[in-house]
Amino acid sequence: MAQKGDLMTVRGDIRVLDATIRDGGLVNDFMFTDDFINALYRANVKAGVDIMEFGYKASKEMFDVNKFGKWKFCDEESIRGIVGDNNSDMKISVMADVGRCDYKKDIIPKSESVIDFVRVATYVYQMPAAIEMIEDAKAKGYEVTCNIMAISNAQEGDVSQALEMLGHSSVDGIYIVDSYGSLFPEQMRRLADLYLETGEKYGKFIGVHGHNNQQLAFANTIEAAAQGVSFLDATMMGMGRGCGNCAMELLLSFLKNPKYNVFPVLKFIEEHMLPLRAQGVNWGYDIPYLLTGHLNQHPSAAIEFMKAGRSDYTDFYTDLLDK
């Protein structure tokens, strides 16, 4: 597939989504202050960010509300406490994981909600359940995406079948998700072409969500965009689970559309992200995340390694090789 656009042109179809609360919340159990969330909302609006994701719609039966901040659950009143009626051009999204939410009761009709997007996160093998969730959210009036996680670990035939199933569904968009940070730009290019073929056939937009295990989240994001992927995820200062994600400040500095303004992002980082890190909230590239990404493994082992304060990288590497 030919490259879409170039470094000097504006792509009108590009949409930038801020996932700082949702993916970053996996770092600190969603324990953000209201001041932090208010400032992030205002910064995103000023920066021209198209969509802001507030967190998960997780089940309160499965997850203890006393162990997590409120953005693990994203109650309507919590979001409205920040955005009111959201009198801005920026849309609001939440994520709902297959098997981890009570979507039939916790996702209320769009007519009663300030939320615009529901992003259904699923593994390939959960596709029938994901489509049931998609149709429920669409019937309630939302725009809906399907984020297929851990795509680097899925069989190509299974991915192709999942894309066909989604093509026949009422989903609006489909996301490439490099959960393990294992993909290289050449692989991302091929996946983007595969997803875009389905998108063009069935009228779905395609998005990308990268992880930075091999310091390639930004590279993979702009590689996917060059192929025609239009919805691009990023987080402030790359904050996200483990190694983190594509950095918002990098992405907005790259995009040529004058609607995007990196200055409010830099101000937010200076005033809120740096203090957060100074408090001991840690994320970002490190050797253990490189190793799990290199070996195409879930980062959970690296996260535990980091929490234990270990630095015996060679032992960790040989342990991973035995898995």
Side-chain angles (χ1 to χ4, degrees):
M1 189 172 292
Q3 177 170 310
K4 188 170 184 178
D6 55 50
L7 291 178
M8 294 300 293
T9 58
V10 170
R11 286 264 305 280
D13 60 323
I14 292 288
R15 300 291 182 270
V16 174
L17 182 146
D18 172 62
T20 304
I21 308 175
R22 203 273 307 162
D23 214 317
L26 296 169
V27 178
N28 69 344
D29 293 329
F30 304 89
M31 297 294 186
F32 297 105
T33 65
D34 284 355
D35 178 61
F36 181 97
I37 303 300
N38 266 304
L40 178 58
Y41 173 70
R42 293 194 303 270
N44 277 323
V45 170
K46 289 178 181 177
V49 168
D50 300 285
I51 307 163
M52 177 174 169
E53 188 161 68
F54 269 74
Y56 286 99
K57 277 285 187 181
S59 168
K60 292 180 182 178
E61 298 293 323
M62 295 179 68
F63 298 97
D64 187 345
V65 296
N66 297 310
K67 293 182 179 178
F68 298 95
K70 55 190 172 183
W71 308 111
K72 177 81 169 178
F73 309 99
C74 284
D75 293 334
E76 185 70 21
E77 59 268 26
S78 297
I79 299 177
R80 287 187 181 272
I82 302 296
V83 309
D85 291 329
N86 187 31
N87 296 315
S88 76
D89 294 331
M90 186 174 69
K91 295 185 176 182
I92 303 299
S93 79
V94 294
M95 181 167 281
D97 273 356
V98 171
R100 297 183 180 185
C101 63
D102 300 318
Y103 64 93
K104 290 185 178 179
K105 68 179 181 67
D106 288 342
I107 298 178
I108 62 177
K110 172 68 185 86
S111 59
E112 303 170 19
S113 177
V114 73
I115 296 167
D116 302 289
F117 269 91
V118 173
R119 304 211 298 171
V120 175
T122 184
Y123 294 104
V124 168
Y125 69 88
Q126 298 170 312
M127 197 53 61
I131 289 175
E132 184 176 289
M133 288 175 62
I134 289 164
E135 300 302 341
D136 179 82
K138 283 297 292 184
K140 289 172 177 172
Y142 294 96
E143 296 176 81
V144 185
T145 72
C146 183
N147 294 38
I148 308 176
M149 299 183 291
I151 200 67
S152 60
N153 244 8
Q155 297 294 322
E156 186 171 337
D158 292 340
V159 175
S160 296
Q161 185 175 355
L163 291 174
E164 275 296 307
M165 294 169 71
L166 289 169
H168 289 287
S169 78
S170 60
V171 78
D172 296 288
I174 309 168
Y175 261 81
I176 307 165
V177 184
D178 184 16
S179 302
Y180 299 168
S182 296
L183 297 176
F184 292 99
E186 182 178 350
Q187 295 168 300
M188 179 59 73
R189 192 181 315 135
R190 290 200 299 267
L191 279 170
D193 287 347
L194 178 65
Y195 278 58
L196 286 161
E197 184 178 328
T198 297
E200 291 172 4
K201 180 179 178 181
Y202 294 105
K204 318 293 186 184
F205 65 79
I206 305 301
V208 62
H209 178 91
H211 277 262
N212 208 35
N213 295 66
Q214 300 184 98
Q215 301 206 65
L216 290 172
F218 174 59
N220 283 331
T221 297
I222 63 174
E223 184 68 37
Q227 296 305 106
V229 170
S230 53
F231 277 58
L232 313 178
D233 281 16
T235 62
M236 298 293 177
M237 213 173 162
M239 185 184 186
R241 183 193 63 191
C243 59
N245 308 104
C246 175
M248 181 66 75
E249 59 274 19
L250 278 171
L251 184 60
L252 294 193
S253 297
F254 168 80
L255 295 172
K256 297 302 181 286
N257 193 330
K259 70 164 285 189
Y260 298 121
N261 180 5
V262 75
F263 185 82
V265 171
L266 298 176
K267 189 173 179 62
F268 176 80
I269 289 172
E270 178 183 333
E271 296 180 350
H272 297 276
M273 298 303 295
L274 294 181
L276 192 69
R277 178 161 273 176
Q279 294 165 16
V281 181
N282 294 313
W283 69 91
Y285 169 81
D286 211 321
I287 299 297
Y289 300 125
L290 159 67
L291 296 177
T292 57
H294 171 64
L295 295 173
N296 196 19
Q297 294 183 20
H298 194 283
S300 56
I303 292 170
E304 292 305 312
F305 182 94
M306 295 289 290
K307 284 181 178 178
R310 293 172 58 187
S311 59
D312 51 326
Y313 300 139
T314 52
D315 287 344
F316 181 62
Y317 182 53
T318 54
D319 288 344
L320 291 175
L321 289 173
D322 288 336
K323 289 188 177 181

